[in-house]
Amino acid sequence: MDRRNVQSETYKQSHLIILIVYTVLSVVLIVESFIMDWEKWAVMLIVAVLITAWFMHIRSILRDRDRLWLYSCLMMATYFFYGVHLTSTFDMALVMCVVIAIYTMTGEKPLVRLCQVFYIVTLAFDLGTMISQGEEITPLLITRSLLHVGMIILAGWVACTIIDKWTKVIGSSSEEIETLKEQTDRLNNFLANVSHEIRTPVNAVMGLSSVLEKETLPENIEDNIRAISNAGHRVAEQIGDILDFTEIDMQKLSVNNEPYMIDSVVNDLLSQLSHMDKNDLDLVIDLDASVPAELRGDGEKIRKILLHLISNGFKYTREGGVYVRIYSVPREYGINLLLEVRDTGIGMNAFEIEHIYDKFYQSDSSKTRSVGGLGIGIPIVNGFVSAMNGFMDIQSKRGVGTTVKVSIPQAVEDNSKCMSVRNRENISVGGFLGFMTTGNIGVREFYMDMISNIVSGLYVPFHRIQSKSELEKLLTVSHITHLFVGTGEYLENREYIEELSKDIKVAVVLDRNKSLDSGSKITQIPKPFYGVQIANFLNQTLDDELVEGHEKMMCPGVKVLVVDDEPMNLLVARGIFESYGMVVDTVHSGEASIAKCAGEDYDIVFMDHMMPEMDGVEAMKRLRVQASHMRRDICVVALTANAISSAREMFMSEGFDGFVPKPIELPELERVLKHVLPKSAVQYVMDDGAGRKIGGKKESAAKLVDSDGVKKPVPVTDEKNSGKTGSDGKNADVKADKSASSAESKISSGMGSDKPAVADADSEISFAPLDSLGVDTAAGLAYCGGDEQFYKELLVEYAGNPDEKLGEILKYYDAKNWKDYSIKVHAIKSTSKMIGAMDISERAKFLEEASKECDEAKVNEKHANLMGDYGRLIRTVYDTYGEGRNKAPEPEPEGTETGESDVLEFGPKGGDL
């Protein structure tokens, strides 16, 4: 805050006080005027001026500074009227000292001097009047006059000194505040930049692990892949938390306002929580059936609020679980969405509750603390809730647990219930549920509260059953259509429950890591479950076919173009999109996407933002112009690592149809796909967990055996083209084993036919040449889930077209085109980190930052050295693992002994650069 801002605040605070003092003095003067029989016309004028001053203050007429000076002039005029009467001559000094003291708070020395001048003028007028009236000038009159003048001068000096000291203190404090704000902003920007940079390798970890999870692998490798995937999700969540926290702290948080479905939010939440280690704790989700099906607001932030509160509950709970209640209260503007999260954890005392909103606060922040986390979860929740005009309340007691209640106003798009049951008059439900395997009494109460709320919200009759004998008795007197059975109850009465499932629709609520026999007709509802799953079960009849597995979204035959200048990102995106049965093409630039779309009609174009020469926004706009001329519709979705909350708003305002942040989260991707694709393009199939689609549905990863005995990948086709996949018009459902064809299928789904060939999958792979160049191959293998063949494929992508890569960088360097240069070294930084070349990655990061600041000196300092080492690395990779291994070695240029020889070797013309 600079000095002018400080003064502005002072004006606002001093206006009212000065006006009140002016009013009090005016009232005293009016009373004295009547007592002393002074001029009545002046009294009327004072009253009129006083009313005008209050009117101007209330209506804020004129600027603050102008009004302050106007009040002061009016006060001085009133003071002059008071002082010109000889009875007040020697009372004026005391009154003026009070006025000067009040004006000190304005911080305006000119106003203090104005008071001094008016006093001297008024005193001089009185003395002149005395002399004109023949009054004798005595020494007492002179000394009294001089004493009063000296008093006013001293009061003015003291006031000006206080103002000077005060202004100096405020000025130094303002500088310190500005310095602290700048440092905080730099720290927040640093955290945001670091988080953004980490997203690229995390995108590779999550994307590639999700692809590998669909492969048929040995059990120990599947466990390792799952662990890598969980770690990637955890890092991605922490990156997102840091970005959210910095946006809140910098007051740059943006709140979206778009339709969303509350059951989709809960479903995405459960999908995300599946990667969390819950230490055998129970999670109970109680979604009220009366919550409107579709709301308008920021569904993503609602999900994050729930995620943080649930995560906090798990962190501080040793035994029991977490109960989540989601319900609504109707209001004129829509509803108040109420989120209540209770746990059976250790609880908090009054001191901890008071400080829980503080940044980075943790009840146990010692190095030996028993729980992890960054200490920003509750501040993030509080920031989100405040940004959405809601409020939050926390109640807790040591040793009992914590309850957090959040209320957020939301508009209603569709007022129908979020879940309902068809033909409920024909349904009667039994609950053989004691939750016997749950040892915590509090959690049992959570479950019973949830069951009670669900059945009452769905308006179906519910019979609570405590024992097998009660169940047998109930079945003789009532027609039960649906029966819920707990895991413990099923295990004790397995044969009886299986027999009942022939006549009644039975569902078993399964504990974690439990499953039924493959031949069972009983529906399995694994924990954690919520109302929508209950409603779906109640909507089934005994005649409905039981399909095991979980429902998976597919988009068979949808044509997709992915645009990204980084080949590794294209590889990850291809693997993810093809798992949905999409037909995927890829290009490396905005220009190439325009040319590609001119000859092909794509259903969706996924566009990266930061690309050289033509960024994603410009490419999207040109695609729209081209599509308009060709009388086509085109759907363009931003696919970028820019994941700050305002990024989505920016991309949507530019004209994108959707926004998917990197690393790609499947629930967010599916939400966007459902939004931008027609309903006919989206199908749901049952997945048995091994990548196979059940019930005659198409399979995105189906493989057929060709006549030569080699397994080949078969793209998913739509219904009208399905006859091309086989004589019966359906895709073959042939399970792929882990063999050389696995690597072959990955390569065939790579970046295109011009991609460098990879060595045979069966050949022994050695990474010793990379170790000698300082590459951490262990880190690179970790990015690839331990799959050496896939790591080798990434290396080939990394070193593909070495002359072209170096030539482009050097072209931008020679032309001092720092914008495109920064994009290219950004790619070196992120891809080098993926393969484990950490030193090159760090140096490329230095060049990226220097080129973004157009600091030519810093770029020149590091450019040649990095290009030499980078050139050696990609040449080694190219010669060892790529196409270069089949070529004769090229002679080295003579007379070159330093790293620059490598740079010269890769020039566009093979010569000097």
Side-chain angles (χ1 to χ4, degrees), residues 777-902:
T777 53
L781 281 167
Y783 283 135
C784 297
D787 189 328
E788 291 188 354
Q789 187 61 36
F790 198 68
Y791 179 47
K792 188 174 181 180
E793 184 181 347
L794 286 184
L795 289 171
V796 173
E797 289 291 353
Y798 178 77
N801 302 315
D803 294 342
E804 180 181 338
K805 286 183 177 179
L806 283 170
E808 284 185 343
I809 296 173
L810 295 168
K811 177 182 70 174
Y812 297 138
Y813 174 76
D814 291 339
K816 295 181 171 55
N817 181 353
W818 304 126
K819 177 183 176 182
D820 289 333
Y821 179 87
S822 69
I823 294 174
K824 287 299 179 183
V825 292
H826 169 86
I828 294 177
K829 175 193 67 179
S830 58
T831 56
S832 298
K833 185 177 289 187
M834 286 184 192
I835 69 164
M838 302 304 182
D839 179 60
I840 288 179
S841 176
E842 285 300 316
R843 285 188 282 160
K845 179 181 179 181
F846 174 87
L847 285 179
E848 180 191 9
E849 293 173 352
S851 57
K852 283 182 176 179
E853 296 172 358
C854 298
D855 192 332
E856 186 175 345
K858 286 186 177 180
V859 174
N860 290 337
E861 177 186 351
K862 302 287 186 181
H863 170 80
N865 188 24
L866 175 65
M867 290 300 103
D869 291 344
Y870 178 60
R872 273 193 294 273
L873 177 58
I874 62 175
R875 173 57 74 188
T876 299
V877 173
Y878 184 78
D879 289 343
T880 307
Y881 307 106
E883 289 181 344
R885 74 186 192 281
N886 297 322
K887 297 181 180 180
E890 298 179 9
E892 293 188 5
E894 296 181 4
T896 56
E897 298 179 359
T898 67
E900 296 184 1
S901 63
D902 298 276

Side-chain angles (χ1 to χ4, degrees), residues 15 60-71:
H15 280 180
S60 297
I61 298 174
L62 302 179
R63 296 180 304 172
D64 292 342
R65 185 184 181 87
D66 294 340
R67 285 205 314 275
L68 183 61
W69 275 89
L70 179 61
Y71 300 158

Side-chain angles (χ1 to χ4, degrees), residues 560-564 569-570 573-574 577 584-587 606 639:
V560 170
L561 177 67
V562 185
V563 187
D564 198 311
N569 288 339
L570 291 174
R574 177 186 286 277
F577 293 139
V584 184
D585 284 337
T586 59
V587 291
F606 286 95
L639 181 63

Side-chain angles (χ1 to χ4, degrees), residues 10-207:
T10 304
Y11 290 145
K12 293 176 182 179
Q13 296 172 9
S14 62
H15 280 180
L16 185 60
I17 295 177
I18 290 174
L19 199 51
I20 291 174
V21 171
Y22 176 39
T23 302
V24 172
L25 293 177
S26 298
V27 171
V28 172
L29 180 58
I30 291 171
V31 173
E32 187 173 1
S33 297
F34 281 104
I35 293 173
M36 303 299 295
D37 197 24
W38 291 345
E39 296 81 359
K40 299 297 185 293
W41 63 267
V43 173
M44 300 302 296
L45 183 61
I46 291 172
V47 172
V49 169
L50 193 60
I51 293 173
T52 302
W54 276 104
F55 178 78
M56 294 177 65
H57 178 78
I58 293 171
R59 300 296 297 272
S60 297
I61 298 174
L62 302 179
R63 296 180 304 172
D64 292 342
R65 185 184 181 87
D66 294 340
R67 285 205 314 275
L68 183 61
W69 275 89
L70 179 61
Y71 300 158
S72 302
C73 292
L74 293 175
M75 186 181 289
M76 292 302 102
T78 305
Y79 177 83
F80 183 77
F81 170 72
Y82 165 73
V84 294
H85 298 91
L86 297 181
T87 55
S88 307
T89 300
F90 295 106
D91 298 332
M92 296 188 303
L94 181 60
V95 174
M96 186 55 77
C97 284
V98 173
V99 174
I100 288 175
I102 293 171
Y103 272 102
T104 303
M105 68 178 297
T106 66
E108 283 284 349
K109 291 194 291 185
L111 289 177
V112 175
R113 295 192 181 98
L114 177 68
C115 294
Q116 292 176 306
V117 170
F118 259 87
Y119 173 78
I120 293 171
V121 169
T122 305
L123 180 61
F125 181 86
D126 285 352
L127 292 175
T129 302
M130 291 179 186
I131 293 172
S132 65
Q133 292 179 358
E135 187 172 339
E136 183 180 358
I137 306 299
T138 63
L140 178 61
L141 178 64
I142 295 173
T143 55
R144 288 180 68 186
S145 300
L146 292 176
L147 177 63
H148 284 203
V149 170
M151 185 189 306
I152 295 301
I153 292 174
L154 180 62
W157 176 81
V158 171
C160 289
T161 302
I162 292 174
I163 290 173
D164 286 339
K165 295 291 185 182
W166 176 76
T167 303
K168 184 177 180 181
V169 170
I170 291 296
S172 61
S173 298
S174 299
E175 291 177 1
E176 291 177 4
I177 291 171
E178 286 298 321
T179 301
L180 290 173
K181 285 180 64 178
E182 289 177 4
Q183 291 176 349
T184 302
D185 289 344
R186 283 199 295 269
L187 175 61
N188 286 333
N189 286 326
F190 169 76
L191 291 174
N193 289 334
V194 168
S195 302
H196 183 273
E197 296 306 331
I198 297 174
R199 294 185 80 90
T200 298
V202 170
N203 180 42
V205 173
M206 293 174 61

